[in-house]
């Protein structure tokens, strides 16, 4: 996302793909996506997928 792997307004990989890629359980993928959603990095469209927010909607990095 921020590093450019997935451009804004594009879908992130689905659960099954992330489970295979990272070797994790479905619950882990769901928790990670929920965290990204809560932080404001992504948004979910029901029955369509989860997409990267546009840069103007990205959270402010408070550590900088």
């Amino acid at each position: 996302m921020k590093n450019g792997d997935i451009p804004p307004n594009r879908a992130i990989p689905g659960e099954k793909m992330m489970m295979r890629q990272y070797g994790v359980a479905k619950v882990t993928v769901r928790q990670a996506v929920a965290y990204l959603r809560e932080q404001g990095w992504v948004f979910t469209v029901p029955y369509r997928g989860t997409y990267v927010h546009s840069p103007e909607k990205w959270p402010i990095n408070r550590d900088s």
Side-chain angles (χ1 to χ4, degrees):
M1 287 175 285
K2 190 173 181 180
N3 67 5
D5 289 348
I6 304 173
N9 299 311
R10 297 298 297 256
I12 64 172
E15 287 180 350
K16 288 181 182 180
M17 181 180 280
M18 285 194 276
M19 287 168 57
R20 280 193 304 270
Q21 183 175 355
Y22 298 108
V24 297
K26 183 185 287 189
V27 68
T28 303
V29 171
R30 288 185 177 181
Q31 288 172 340
V33 172
Y35 180 77
L36 291 173
R37 190 179 312 109
E38 289 167 9
Q39 295 299 307
W41 290 106
V42 300
F43 64 97
T44 300
V45 178
Y47 305 105
R48 297 294 231 172
T50 299
Y51 300 82
V52 177
H53 263 303
S54 55
E56 62 270 4
K57 295 195 177 188
W58 288 351
I60 297 170
N61 185 352
R62 305 224 188 272
D63 296 334
S64 300

